């Protein structure tokens, strides 16, 4: 059974700092991995999607890496801003099958202090 | 593109009543939609996979008779919480998967609705 864990559970940093969020998964047979952002009481915003054949994806100040063999992904946020404060979720999509169900991690609550 | 809406955004009901939540893909056709539940300070848990024109596939432990799913068109899936009780109070989020023949986001990327906060008194 696939289990997805995120470390740390919560993180507080001063504005401008670079930071790394970690995601680990137990079954390396994944189709892809997505990073999402969730603001309090809101839905999910997709940040980056990495296919299993890729090693990283970049969007603006965000860079996500994937090491499938070790079951790890990291989300790097450069020059953090107070607007980055949110819960960050990673999710893996199971290999095979048409439904591609997402298994979500436990989330990291990020607070960027001005 | 790839916008998903949910209605209502918030609902408060009495115990024993049924509540219907709608999930719509606004600018694409979604053959597959997913329903998730999120309890406070917890992550999302998949409840069921909704396929257009066929029966939904429920995850283990989710009562199909309590959480009725209908995916009658390529842009609309509904979740009905029947005879709701306080323990059903939660944040319900749907997502829709972009089909593989669409131009734009990669195949099987899911786009999420804004969620529905259900409170059962």
């Amino acid at each position: 059974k696939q289990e997805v864990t995120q470390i740390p559970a919560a993180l507080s940093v001063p504005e401008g700092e670079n930071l790394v969020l970690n995601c680990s998964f137990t079954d390396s047979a994944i189709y892809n991995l997505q990073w999402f952002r969730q603001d309090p009481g809101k839905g999910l915003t997709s940040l980056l999607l990495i296919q299993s054949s890729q090693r990283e994806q970049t969007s603006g100040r965000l860079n996500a890496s994937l090491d499938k063999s070790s079951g790890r992904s990291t989300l790097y946020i450069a020059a953090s801003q107070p607007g980055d404060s949110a819960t960050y979720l990673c999710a893996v999509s199971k290999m095979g099958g048409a439904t591609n169900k997402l298994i979500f991690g436990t989330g990291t609550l990020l607070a960027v202090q001005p | 593109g790839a916008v998903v809406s949910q209605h209502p955004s918030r609902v408060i009901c009495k115990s024993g009543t049924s509540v219907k939540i709608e999930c719509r893909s606004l600018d694409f056709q979604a053959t597959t939609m997913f329903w998730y539940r999120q309890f406070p300070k917890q992550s999302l848990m998949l409840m069921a996979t909704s396929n257009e024109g066929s029966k939904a596939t429920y995850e283990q432990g989710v009562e199909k008779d309590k959480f009725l799913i209908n995916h009658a068109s390529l842009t609309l899936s509904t979740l009905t919480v029947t005879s709701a009780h306080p323990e059903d109070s939660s944040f319900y989020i749907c997502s829709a998967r972009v089909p593989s023949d669409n131009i734009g986001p990669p195949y099987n990327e899911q786009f999420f609705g804004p969620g529905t906060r259900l409170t059962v008194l």
Side-chain angles (χ1 to χ4, degrees):
Chain A
K1 178 185 174 183
Q2 178 74 273
E3 292 184 2
V4 183
T5 306
Q6 291 183 243
I7 295 174
L11 179 64
S12 180
V13 300
E15 181 178 5
E17 197 164 289
N18 302 326
L19 59 99
V20 175
L21 307 181
N22 297 289
C23 173
S24 61
F25 45 95
T26 55
D27 186 350
S28 62
I30 64 170
Y31 191 81
N32 62 35
L33 183 145
Q34 279 185 261
W35 281 94
F36 295 90
R37 168 190 174 133
Q38 184 177 31
D39 292 289
K42 304 292 185 182
L44 274 64
T45 300
S46 179
L47 298 174
L48 290 165
L49 180 149
I50 310 178
Q51 299 283 12
S52 61
S53 58
Q54 299 173 324
R55 296 193 68 86
E56 67 175 343
Q57 284 287 330
T58 298
S59 176
R61 294 183 293 109
L62 305 179
N63 176 278
S65 69
L66 174 64
D67 184 344
K68 209 172 70 164
S69 61
S70 67
R72 293 180 182 177
S73 175
T74 61
L75 178 66
Y76 175 82
I77 302 177
S80 59
Q81 303 171 358
D84 295 331
S85 299
T87 296
Y88 290 81
L89 296 163
C90 70
V92 297
S93 174
K94 186 179 177 181
M95 203 160 178
T99 57
N100 297 115
K101 297 186 292 188
L102 287 177
I103 308 298
F104 279 84
T106 47
T108 294
L109 177 61
L110 172 65
V112 181
Q113 308 299 332
Chain B
V3 177
V4 177
S5 70
Q6 273 185 250
H7 178 79
S9 59
R10 184 183 296 269
V11 58
I12 301 173
C13 68
K14 294 181 179 179
S15 184
T17 60
S18 294
V19 176
K20 179 185 284 188
I21 303 170
E22 293 184 349
C23 177
R24 293 182 184 272
S25 57
L26 298 185
D27 49 2
F28 66 99
Q29 294 182 329
T31 54
T32 303
M33 292 184 173
F34 303 86
W35 286 96
Y36 297 84
R37 181 167 52 185
Q38 185 179 33
F39 291 108
K41 299 189 185 300
Q42 295 187 24
S43 192
L44 277 72
M45 296 297 293
L46 179 65
M47 298 175 65
T49 302
S50 170
N51 295 298
E52 187 268 336
S54 65
K55 291 183 178 180
T57 303
Y58 290 81
E59 294 300 299
Q60 192 172 10
V62 178
E63 300 175 56
K64 61 179 67 176
D65 293 332
K66 179 162 187 67
F67 299 99
L68 301 179
I69 292 174
N70 186 291
H71 195 154
S73 77
L74 288 172
T75 60
L76 174 64
S77 175
T78 60
L79 168 68
T80 300
V81 183
T82 62
S83 186
H85 291 284
E87 58 265 30
D88 298 323
S89 298
S90 186
F91 193 53
Y92 292 86
I93 306 178
C94 72
S95 71
R97 191 183 70 177
V98 179
S100 60
D101 56 349
N102 276 23
I103 298 173
Y107 170 59
N108 85 358
E109 183 173 4
Q110 293 184 28
F111 291 88
F112 286 76
T116 297
R117 172 76 58 193
L118 171 63
T119 303
V120 185
L121 303 176

